[in-house]
Amino acid sequence: MKFFVDTADVAEIADLAATGLVDGVTTNPSLVAKTGRPFLDVLAEICRLVDGPVSAEVTATDQAGMLREAERLLAVAKNVCIKVPLTIDGLKACRALSARGVAVNVTLCFSPAQALLAAKAGATFVSPFVGRLDDVAHDGMRLIADIVQIFRNYPAFRTEVLVASVRHPGHVVEAARLGAHVATLPPAVIRQLVRHPLTDKGLEAFLADWAKTGQIIA
Ligand code: E4P
């Protein structure tokens, strides 16, 4: 399973990329707005930090505008993946871009039917938002199960299921159990994945016992 980082914070990405566990990055207009910096500068820096796909979202809502913006974003780096919303114009733009071999992430997916359309439009990734569904008392992980099952029925679909709007480690484990290809994780969730109180307790005991021996490994 691939892990992407869901942030536009360059310092966070640099820190996490150093672990070797980061396979890509996803950004969105809200995450870019939080940085207070020019989008294209931020995008260029992120693309230098990771080899994998970096999703950069268009903000036009019509197909022609999306394709114009996509050209500008693609000029930034080779690993830019164009992110388009799951609308009719987004699907048309997805079809046009993917036909040229451009990587496309179709975002804001909230139903299996929408995911099916993204796959038919040739998306590289489709991003179902699990946390936002949970927030409105729906079952986000049920959506992942449905999409994974549907895509398995059609091996010709190359679209990867990119689990987005992840809120906690439970979402990540369940996504892996269901066979989702990718999860994009806020930096805090990646750090949460590492931690377990029994790991901390066990390490503390090992180090205390070791100190009593007076030995060093040299
Ligand atoms: C996905 O690419 C989005 O950037 C993201 O996962 C949105 O998540 P949110 O619901 O935490 O804003």
Side-chain angles (χ1 to χ4, degrees), residues 4 27 33 48 54-55 67 84 86 110 129 144 157 163 169 174 177-178 182 195 201 217:
F4 291 177
T27 66
R48 279 195 291 271
V54 176
S55 289
L67 293 177
V84 298
L86 215 156
F110 292 94
F129 277 39
I144 302 303
F157 284 160
V163 180
E174 186 60 8
R177 198 180 67 76
L178 293 169
V182 193
R195 300 295 302 270
K201 196 175 164 203
I217 300 172

Side-chain angles (χ1 to χ4, degrees), residues 137-148:
H138 285 249
D139 184 350
M141 295 317 299
R142 178 73 243 167
L143 174 60
I144 302 303
D146 287 344
I147 298 172
V148 168

Side-chain angles (χ1 to χ4, degrees), residues 122-174:
T124 313
F125 304 105
V126 63
S127 293
F129 277 39
V130 295
R132 292 193 195 185
L133 278 171
D134 290 354
D135 290 347
V136 293
H138 285 249
D139 184 350
M141 295 317 299
R142 178 73 243 167
L143 174 60
I144 302 303
D146 287 344
I147 298 172
V148 168
Q149 186 189 346
I150 290 167
F151 284 12
R152 278 196 189 131
N153 290 342
Y154 300 96
F157 284 160
R158 312 306 306 169
T159 306
E160 298 194 359
V161 180
L162 195 173
V163 180
S165 187
V166 166
R167 300 274 197 263
H168 51 73
H171 278 150
V172 184
V173 173
E174 186 60 8

Side-chain angles (χ1 to χ4, degrees), residues 6 26-28 31 83 107 129 132 164-165 167 184:
D6 196 26
T26 51
T27 66
N28 65 41
L31 293 170
K83 206 176 188 189
T107 191
F129 277 39
R132 292 193 195 185
S165 187
R167 300 274 197 263
T184 189

